[in-house]
Amino acid sequence: MRIVRTIAETRRAVADLKEPSRTLGLVPTMGALHEGHLSLVRAARSRCDAVVVSLFVNPTQFGPNEDLSKYPRTFEADCALLEAEKVDLLFAPEAAEVYPPGAQTFVEVEDLSRRLDGASRPGHFRGVATVVAKLFHIVAPNLAFFGQKDAAQVAVLRRMVRDLNFDVELVVCPIVREPDGLALSSRNRYLSAEDRRHALVLSRALRRVEEQAAAGVVDAEPLLAAGHAVVAEEPAVRLDYFRVVDTDTLEDLPRIDQGALIAVAAWVGPARLIDNALLPPR
Ligand code: PAF
């Protein structure tokens, strides 16, 4: 695996990888890699001739009181994992390479960026859309791989790709969970053993909603009540949102007949965790 730090080097390396008939896959990450990231890399490996991973803790997607400075940075371990997955190229720039002094151009997907996580993390999706747009320009991938765990991020990026005519296919890979249901996240590293036990309430609440939906409940209100009741079993968990929304617009849905996204976010100890489940149309 070749490691490059600058945009110029990345462009040259990508040109070498991308002969005319080759499919290039990009997996954007912020490092602190876990099996969820590796599932994206494996999906990219199986669908693409060449795989580029980016590793960049993007400062513009963190709010002033968020965890940018303590976000886990595990570069050596990340490189070993990516090497083992036969990644061709790792782009790991410094912040000044991505945002040169005086940078003042941003990408904002206006309405979607204020929904779900965007409501409690103002500016977050502007930072995500901006850095992903930059990565798409620098790497010019045919396919780009993202995790379903970040369902709102996926909705924002899909809209950006459509609105700005990016010539890239977004591939969304399923959530990877621990055997006890906890969705994998780099932020799980912040959890004590006790926090981790509390955090299980999120996947339990989603399962309860799925069970109710499978049993024939179609109105969002009783489904949400069932989910809230489960979360209330862990008073240490501070709920941010629990919603039933449209997968593309992230607007609240009164019913789930046409399919829906159930999304939850909560603070557990020092970590803000998110999780979700897709309800199929009936
Ligand atoms: O999902 C993430 O890890 C980040 O939001 C992304 C897409 C790498 C952009 O910084």
Side-chain angles (χ1 to χ4, degrees):
M1 181 177 73
R2 188 164 163 213
I3 301 173
V4 286
R5 299 282 186 180
T6 68
I7 292 166
E9 276 177 293
T10 307
R11 289 209 157 111
R12 279 195 298 273
V14 163
D16 291 344
L17 285 172
K18 205 176 180 187
E19 290 154 27
S21 63
R22 298 195 108 203
T23 310
L24 186 73
L26 171 67
V27 183
T29 82
M30 299 206 301
L33 302 181
H34 51 63
E35 277 297 315
H37 297 108
L38 298 183
S39 75
L40 305 181
V41 173
R42 287 172 198 142
R45 194 67 279 171
S46 75
R47 292 197 51 184
C48 305
D49 300 307
V51 176
V52 180
V53 172
S54 62
L55 192 169
F56 178 59
V57 183
N58 173 35
T60 63
Q61 69 186 76
F62 289 80
N65 300 317
E66 292 187 351
D67 56 344
L68 172 62
S69 61
K70 59 179 170 60
Y71 196 83
R73 286 159 172 89
T74 56
F75 188 72
E76 299 303 325
D78 291 347
C79 286
L81 290 169
L82 296 174
E83 190 89 57
E85 298 298 334
K86 305 202 178 342
V87 165
D88 296 282
L89 184 71
L90 174 63
F91 174 43
E94 295 295 333
E97 178 72 7
V98 178
Y99 298 105
Q104 50 182 287
T105 307
F106 292 88
V107 176
E108 185 150 11
V109 181
E110 293 187 349
D111 181 57
L112 281 177
S113 288
R114 288 189 281 274
R115 297 184 181 275
L116 297 187
D117 308 287
S120 41
R121 304 185 67 190
H124 170 66
F125 286 126
R126 179 174 106 134
V128 170
T130 301
V131 81
V132 172
K134 282 168 168 279
L135 291 168
F136 286 175
H137 285 307
I138 295 162
V139 177
N142 305 98
L143 279 75
F145 295 77
F146 296 90
Q148 171 61 27
K149 187 165 92 53
D150 301 308
Q153 170 170 284
V154 167
V156 167
L157 294 176
R158 270 198 202 296
R159 192 65 66 98
M160 177 190 82
V161 163
R162 192 203 71 173
D163 290 354
L164 295 183
N165 312 100
F166 280 100
D167 192 12
V168 59
E169 181 190 335
L170 298 194
V171 181
V172 182
C173 299
I175 298 178
V176 180
R177 298 180 181 281
E178 303 274 12
D180 60 9
L182 184 69
L184 296 194
S185 162
S186 302
R187 290 188 168 97
N188 290 350
R189 293 170 199 245
Y190 300 153
L191 302 174
S192 67
E194 198 186 14
D195 295 333
R196 198 189 169 289
R197 259 196 319 279
H198 295 152
L200 294 176
V201 79
L202 301 183
S203 54
R204 260 200 334 266
L206 292 170
R207 291 299 82 74
R208 179 73 60 82
V209 174
E210 285 182 306
E211 283 159 19
Q212 299 274 305
V217 181
V218 289
D219 289 320
E221 210 177 290
L223 291 172
L224 287 172
H228 275 106
V230 177
V231 177
E233 290 167 9
E234 287 295 0
V237 170
R238 194 157 54 87
L239 199 59
D240 177 0
Y241 63 73
F242 201 119
R243 304 184 99 106
V244 173
V245 298
D246 179 273
T247 318
D248 297 319
T249 65
L250 305 180
E251 282 171 42
D252 289 326
L253 286 176
R255 289 169 65 85
I256 60 155
D257 320 57
Q258 308 302 317
L261 170 74
I262 332 163
V264 62
W267 285 272
V268 184
R272 182 178 179 282
L273 302 179
I274 57 174
D275 199 352
N276 68 80
L278 283 170
L279 297 179
R282 21 206 65 236

